[in-house]
Amino acid sequence: MSLTDVIAVARGELPVDLLLANARLVNVLSGEIHHADVAIHDGRVVGLGAYQARQVVDLGGRYLCPGFIDAHVHLESSMVQPAEFARAVMPHGTTTVICDPHEIANVLGMDGVRYILKASRRLYLSVYVMAPSCVPATGMETSGAELSAREIAKLLRAGRVLGLAEMMNYPGVLDRVPEVLAKLDAAAGLPIDGHAPGLSGKDLNAYFAAGIHSDHECTDLDEAREKLRLGMHIFIREGTTARNLQALLPLVTPANARFCHFCTDDRHPETLLSEGHIDDLVRKAIAWGLDPVLAIQMATLNTAQYFGLSDKGAIAPGCAADLVVLDDLATVRVAQVYAAGLRVAEEGYFLPVTSVTRVPLRPTVHVDASAVDLTIPPGQGLARVIGVIPGQVVTEHLRMAATIREGRVVADPDRDLLKMAVVERHRGTGNVGLGLVKGMGLRRGAIASSVAHDSHNLVVIGANDDDMRAAIAAIARMEGGQVAVVDGQVCAACPLPIAGLMSDRALEEVSAQAAALTKAARALGCTLVDPLMTMSFLALPVIPALKLTDKGLVDVNAFAVVPLFGG
Amino acid sequence: MSLTDVIAVARGELPVDLLLANARLVNVLSGEIHHADVAIHDGRVVGLGAYQARQVVDLGGRYLCPGFIDAHVHLESSMVQPAEFARAVMPHGTTTVICDPHEIANVLGMDGVRYILKASRRLYLSVYVMAPSCVPATGMETSGAELSAREIAKLLRAGRVLGLAEMMNYPGVLDRVPEVLAKLDAAAGLPIDGHAPGLSGKDLNAYFAAGIHSDHECTDLDEAREKLRLGMHIFIREGTTARNLQALLPLVTPANARFCHFCTDDRHPETLLSEGHIDDLVRKAIAWGLDPVLAIQMATLNTAQYFGLSDKGAIAPGCAADLVVLDDLATVRVAQVYAAGLRVAEEGYFLPVTSVTRVPLRPTVHVDASAVDLTIPPGQGLARVIGVIPGQVVTEHLRMAATIREGRVVADPDRDLLKMAVVERHRGTGNVGLGLVKGMGLRRGAIASSVAHDSHNLVVIGANDDDMRAAIAAIARMEGGQVAVVDGQVCAACPLPIAGLMSDRALEEVSAQAAALTKAARALGCTLVDPLMTMSFLALPVIPALKLTDKGLVDVNAFAVVPLFGG
């Protein structure tokens, strides 16, 4: 609408498209809950008051609040395409997400980011992107792509790209690595998100002074308070694994709430289905004692303001009519959702019939399974063994005697000592990292995945080499995905043909496939809650203590590749 | 400092310039008050903590808060030059002002705005400018200049110009006057301040939807609440005349305080000297029950955020080291003030020796006193008389019989019926508006002023024509100012050679001159508290009911020029 039309419509000179009448408005601006009628025209809120409208919806006194915003999410963790993600989260009241396509960028670089941008057009869900700052995350593994400061500067000029995503490389910031500073410079004046678990004192001052003004990695109240005192925006995270809401909620007071936000970071299919999305955080925050208006401000206005989204996060003339109708403020049950004035969800169901935007992507699994050599020659002394700690992404750095048969190191399920391989899949280098892992519990068979943070090489763990090879071959055939294999046969699979990270199927189907995989892994002897996810973090060389990449074993504390034996 | 240097200094790798140690930090970010040491380098805050410093100032547990910000001020109302204004307000803790040079722009147009920009360089006080939106304010008077949408667009590209100043022409917005919309368009995406006393309902929705997101004209709690509910930023004003703090303070809650701000709008010399500046609002707000942290947020962070001043309003790494040391939070007594890390005030005294930036300005009083004809011919029936209401800017529209002598309408002090003239002074048009006024109380002599909102023509009120002419001549000689005259002699004067609005003298001297003028007017019989100020509003044709401009009597309610008699 032109300014002239906006004014004419807001003055009531023409009937509006829609009037949401008789609402109990959760007014995040005035901090009140008050009765109101909300007029909507051409996708935008035009005013509060009694307007002539072509359609009137009587909300019967139900609560109306702005659509929820996820301040930081890796959309890839949903394992579905953006359209399917939208279908999953919008019935939960989410109308906007700020996503960091860090995972797909590590596989496909700029093409991966462009995929997210293209595939998230016309979804009803407003998808904004932060330019991934750390691709690759480290030099100790082979990623599918690199994003230079120059490419980031280019990305930052694209529509819907708001700023620089989580700067995980805080040592690089503090050490003034030129390429890292060039990325910060490229984003100067734009939002730059942080990722600095445990950073404190002068180093934290320096990290903040570098222009990095948010953090979603706080796990501890004191840590969050120190960051908040500098003006760092605290994105309180409640993901599938990392759950920080209860610990951090005491931080939030009315006087500082504008610096507090909700994010999910990573939510897997079954979490989205069973627990929901940002509504889950709002619900828990209220249940745990936060004032409902503050909780809804954290889920809406605060995040819109931080990211400079001046037409989101509030119900005010000129704002996008992204709205949520709640039955009450205790259950936070989402009755209706409007996006740009269109009703897109009702009673948990997504209403629009959307078609997925097909975006051609190149294959990303370049592995010749028959050429992969899983042989581990024996060595002197004790072997380094990755010790899985149930439910955590950190591991133990164990030393154990390897089991040797026919002159080779073999998996020994009786000792819960399994073989693990990370097979480079992006560039066909033939790199294979080999190691041993304890704590997975497989008695037989193998599990494998092309989801393995952050470089997403092909990771496989098995009780014997044949099944490991069969698992690698199965993933190569599927162009990515996750499998469980026993006796050479695939017994469960979740194909992830989009970059080896995301499915082209419905969320429910992916969730069922993931459940079947877990069940299969359990049948093979694994006792972990989510074996595939645990495995996906065993290749992440930025989290202690011992990890395996395609370049070999990484002693994360020493920040060095180390041999299996000795050293 | 380069990003590299910023990080190095914040990490403590080099000693900093200054450490303010042992502060009780009023942390507007975390909403707490906590002990802290604040490190400052190269004019900026670099961090909280124990830093090696070249200079350490032990604050002995006194309160440290960000420098105060005036969200909206007409600097001209101080009647002194920007350097002198800075000297007046900085000891009160003000380190930043957002000024609207509306008055001088009405006299000198772009040259007036440029004068403010130039004369406010290197003052320690950070002076930002909003482009005046309504020059001239109406077509019913002759102003010295016009600012077109094109000129405003040009201004908006200048450094330190933040957005569009108070859009007083709300009828023009609502009626979609193209030139008004062009001004709004030029400022789209920037802060656009409002001025909409009493605007409500759908018209308010439309005004907000047009992008106008603040208002400093609320006088009533319900009015302010309606505006706040739309997300309008409420600038609570406490000027010399308009005092809205007590009425509006109940609006402010912790959940909405980010939308609430402090401004002075217009403070005259004696108010600045006797009551102070933004510290006065903070003090009163706390005394009247507002939480001190919220009050200080309103005086600092909130306004910086509204205007997008990302390095102002907070004590955080990277922010300008604009700081105020307070003895306590009850008296809000300002002990020290720092601007960009330099101590600029101590115990009420401004420390730097500054020199005034001389900015050549053209003469603005183009009046040949000898050619001014004050003759009022008699007419039929009752005359329209401007009825002064003590202490108010609105007037009564009276009808009285004029006193006729020798075939002319004359002043009749016995009936408190005085003659008033508004003499066009900008363009030498020779326009003289003539009328009658009741309620000034002068028994003899005349008072005159070149300060007369909004066009600032020469306004004179007298008990006889000779003294009125002498007063006009005196102001013409002074190139602007205010005088009291009796028996042809000037008995008190305040020269205002800068655009006829501002003095080139010290604030104390101007205040003394103003006091002498009031005293002189009282000696002539006037009973009003501030006769010169009252007179300056009698020429303002946008405030009811009957006003006089150089074009004649204006019936403000009818928005029309009307004759003295009949009609």
Side-chain angles (χ1 to χ4, degrees), chain A residues 201-238:
Chain A
K202 293 185 181 116
D203 282 349
L204 180 61
N205 288 337
Y207 187 71
F208 186 92
I212 304 165
H213 291 179
S214 78
D215 188 84
H216 60 271
E217 292 289 338
C218 295
T219 52
D220 175 86
L221 191 57
D222 287 338
E223 177 191 2
R225 183 168 287 123
E226 183 184 358
K227 287 174 175 169
L228 180 62
R229 283 179 173 183
L230 299 184
M232 197 161 247
H233 289 255
I234 306 299
F235 294 178
I236 299 181
R237 170 178 58 185
E238 192 79 351

Side-chain angles (χ1 to χ4, degrees), chain A residues 160-293:
Chain A
R160 291 197 279 134
V161 178
L162 301 179
L164 191 64
E166 51 176 326
M167 177 46 81
M168 293 181 281
N169 189 4
Y170 54 87
V173 174
L174 300 177
D175 294 342
R176 285 93 77 188
V177 172
E179 177 71 5
V180 173
L181 297 196
K183 290 175 181 176
L184 295 175
D185 264 337
L190 300 174
I192 303 178
D193 284 339
H195 165 121
L199 199 67
S200 176
K202 293 185 181 116
D203 282 349
L204 180 61
N205 288 337
Y207 187 71
F208 186 92
I212 304 165
H213 291 179
S214 78
D215 188 84
H216 60 271
E217 292 289 338
C218 295
T219 52
D220 175 86
L221 191 57
D222 287 338
E223 177 191 2
R225 183 168 287 123
E226 183 184 358
K227 287 174 175 169
L228 180 62
R229 283 179 173 183
L230 299 184
M232 197 161 247
H233 289 255
I234 306 299
F235 294 178
I236 299 181
R237 170 178 58 185
E238 192 79 351
T240 291
T241 309
R243 294 179 177 242
N244 311 121
L245 180 59
Q246 197 157 22
L248 299 185
L249 203 59
L251 180 74
V252 184
T253 69
N256 68 31
R258 79 180 91 170
F259 291 94
C260 301
H261 311 256
F262 289 142
C263 78
T264 60
D265 202 3
D266 296 285
R267 283 209 162 196
H268 293 177
E270 74 285 5
T271 314
L272 291 172
L273 286 170
S274 64
E275 300 179 52
H277 195 235
I278 295 297
D279 60 325
D280 179 42
L281 285 90
V282 173
R283 187 180 301 116
K284 285 175 179 166
I286 293 171
W288 294 336
L290 190 67
D291 175 78
V293 174

